[in-house]
């Protein structure tokens, strides 16, 4: 029940922001449609429905801090791209390889977060996710060495459901 | 009621400067991304430039506009529509930050599945020409 | 939202020139879209241009006389959404039809699948 209320409030905020009308007619329309959507599809947003609202809020708070750290990483990645694309001998610095590793994250959202984070950090882009297997394209050796599972541990720390944070990071295997 | 507080000149200058800096930084990163998309040797490396540069430059430029429009709000005769513009701009930011890497990943995955071979170094320092073949 | 005073005019001029710079920087991406050796290179270029068009809509809305920014922000939001869906659909469609990696290789012979 708590989750349904949470989703309803979330949808209602979205409605109010996007419509920008505050008269009774539009608000009533919003209430009706948000209730309808919540009733029909409330089980789509969250996978495990046991958690309480406060845990959700707590996770959201930790997620916000994670995004702040992420923003710094995106800056570093863009500075690296800018340097690489403007350097006259860019082709000598490019030495791509495909790195394969297994993740210990279980939920889909955590994997999605890890894939997007890998894409946005310096020199690496996720190519493929197959179950627990990640295939990552690294632009040179330094970027490939940077995939030491540190990000994975950060993500695992956000979610209580990711039972145990990987202790030694992910074991990397050779390129494809 | 102080009329002067409505358009505090110093505050406007600071806010506009922040906005200009954000937009110019965004344009700079987009420039790097464009040069990367033009210069990099194969599809995967071009995707590096396109995915990252696109995300951050859009983020910074729209953030700059959010700051600018926040400065344009008249707090004395406040209407919600002005604040909603800022909230919507921030929503575009969040949306881009979520979807742009996802689109990058989807395109990467599609290209990899279709058998575009990533180029790698040979023994020497010369780059192998990207060879493309269907994998099935 | 009154655009009055000298600094507002200066900000408007800055937005005009920044928008023009953004537009000019989209031209090389168009070039990549034209020459892109594989189909997916072109999709990537279209994706980049689409994102930047959403940003450009915010530029246009800000310098639009009469202050219709709230309208253009909605446009930008919808455009960004459609761009995301569109690039996903293009990737999926071309993947289905196995035409993604097709290119004329360096010797000038079309490769067969």
């Amino acid at each position: 029940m708590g989750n349904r209320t949470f989703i309803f409030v979330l949808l209602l905020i979205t409605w109010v922001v996007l419509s920008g009308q505050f008269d009774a007619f539009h608000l009533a329309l919003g209430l009706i449609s948000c209730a309808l959507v919540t009733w029909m599809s409330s089980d789509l947003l969250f996978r495990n429905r046991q958690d309480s609202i406060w845990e959700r809020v707590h996770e959201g708070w930790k997620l916000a801090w994670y995004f702040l750290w992420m923003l710094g990483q995106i800056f570093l990645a863009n500075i690296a791209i800018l340097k690489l694309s403007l350097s006259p001998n860019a082709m000598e610095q490019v030495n791509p390889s495909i790195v394969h590793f297994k993740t210990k994250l279980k939920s889909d959202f955590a994997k999605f977060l890890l894939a997007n984070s890998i894409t946005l950090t310096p020199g690496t882009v996720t190519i493929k996710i197959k179950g627990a297997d990640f295939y990552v394209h690294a632009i040179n050796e330094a970027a490939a060495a940077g995939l030491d599972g540190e990000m994975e541990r950060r993500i695992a720390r956000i979610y209580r459901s990711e039972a145990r944070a990987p202790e030694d990071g992910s074991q990397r295997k050779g390129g494809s | 009621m102080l009329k002067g507080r409505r358009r505090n000149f110093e505050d406007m200058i600071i806010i506009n400067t922040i906005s200009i800096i954000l937009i110019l930084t965004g344009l700079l990163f987009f420039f790097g991304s464009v040069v990367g998309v033009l210069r990099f040797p194969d599809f995967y490396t071009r995707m590096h430039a396109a995915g990252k540069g696109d995300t951050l430059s859009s983020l910074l430029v729209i953030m700059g506009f959010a700051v600018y429009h926040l400065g344009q709000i008249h707090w004395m005769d406040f209407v919600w529509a002005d604040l909603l513009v800022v909230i919507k701009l921030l929503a575009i930011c969040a949306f881009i930050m979520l979807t742009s890497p996802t689109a990058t990943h989807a395109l990467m995955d599609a290209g990899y599945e279709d058998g575009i071979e990533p180029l790698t170094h040979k023994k020497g320092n010369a780059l192998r020409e990207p060879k493309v073949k269907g994998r099935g | 939202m009154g655009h009055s005073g000298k600094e507002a005019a200066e900000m408007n001029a800055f937005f005009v020139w920044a928008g023009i710079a953004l537009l000019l920087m989209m031209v090389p991406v168009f070039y990549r879209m034209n020459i892109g050796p594989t189909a997916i290179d072109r999709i990537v270029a279209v994706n980049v241009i689409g994102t930047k068009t959403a940003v450009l809509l915010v530029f246009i809305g800000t310098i639009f006389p009469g202050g219709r920014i709230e309208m253009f922000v909605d446009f930008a939001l919808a455009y960004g959404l459609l761009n995301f869906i569109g690039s996903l659909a293009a990737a999926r469609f071309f993947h289905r039809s196995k035409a993604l990696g097709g290119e004329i290789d360096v010797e000038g012979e079309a490769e067969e699948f």
Side-chain angles (χ1 to χ4, degrees), chain A:
Chain A
M1 197 59 220
N3 273 317
R4 291 203 166 194
T5 325
F6 186 67
I7 293 168
F8 180 73
V9 171
L10 217 62
L11 285 173
L12 201 61
I13 289 172
T14 315
W15 170 279
V16 168
V17 166
L18 286 183
S19 87
Q21 310 277 338
F22 294 96
D23 50 317
F25 174 65
H26 285 93
L27 283 183
L29 275 187
L31 280 175
I32 291 170
S33 49
C34 287
L36 213 61
V37 171
T38 311
W39 173 63
M40 281 194 297
S41 57
S42 66
D43 51 346
L44 291 181
L45 187 54
F46 299 121
R47 182 57 68 86
N48 51 340
R49 266 152 271 162
Q50 281 82 11
D51 295 359
S52 66
I53 289 182
W54 291 115
E55 275 173 65
R56 295 257 180 255
V57 172
H58 193 57
E59 275 177 8
W61 176 247
K62 279 194 279 191
L63 208 60
W65 278 106
Y66 178 76
F67 271 114
L68 218 61
W69 176 76
M70 205 59 236
L71 212 59
Q73 293 292 307
I74 300 172
F75 258 101
L76 291 183
N78 273 274
I79 291 168
I81 284 287
L82 193 64
K83 263 193 207 158
L84 189 62
S85 58
L86 292 184
S87 70
N89 58 345
M91 297 313 127
E92 277 83 54
Q93 298 173 34
V94 175
N95 183 12
S97 59
I98 293 182
V99 181
H100 167 227
F101 68 88
K102 276 187 186 300
T103 179
K104 286 176 180 154
L105 300 176
K106 283 186 282 295
S107 72
D108 282 348
F109 186 74
K111 279 183 202 165
F112 160 79
L113 209 60
L114 179 62
N116 275 8
S117 307
I118 287 175
T119 300
L120 289 176
T121 40
T124 49
V125 171
T126 314
I127 291 178
K128 198 165 182 50
I129 312 171
K130 236 183 200 168
D133 294 308
F134 270 65
Y135 294 87
V136 177
H137 185 267
I139 205 166
N140 52 26
E141 294 90 348
L147 287 168
D148 52 0
E150 202 252 336
M151 197 154 15
E152 201 180 332
R153 256 168 281 134
R154 274 177 188 271
I155 291 174
R157 237 179 283 146
I158 296 175
Y159 292 104
R160 208 174 46 94
S161 55
E162 303 295 340
R164 297 213 41 74
E167 302 296 329
D168 53 342
S170 48
Q171 62 274 37
R172 281 176 45 218
K173 291 179 184 171
S176 77

Side-chain angles (χ1 to χ4, degrees), chain C residues 43-88:
Chain C
I43 299 176
V44 172
V46 169
N47 188 21
V48 171
I49 288 173
T51 317
K52 288 305 158 214
T53 309
V55 175
L56 208 56
L57 277 172
V58 181
F59 269 100
I60 294 172
T62 305
I63 60 183
F64 200 74
R68 300 303 305 272
I69 177 66
E70 61 271 16
M71 192 170 79
F72 279 89
V73 166
D74 286 347
F75 292 168
L77 198 56
Y79 201 93
L81 221 125
L82 278 179
N83 181 45
F84 173 59
I85 304 285
S87 65
L88 278 193

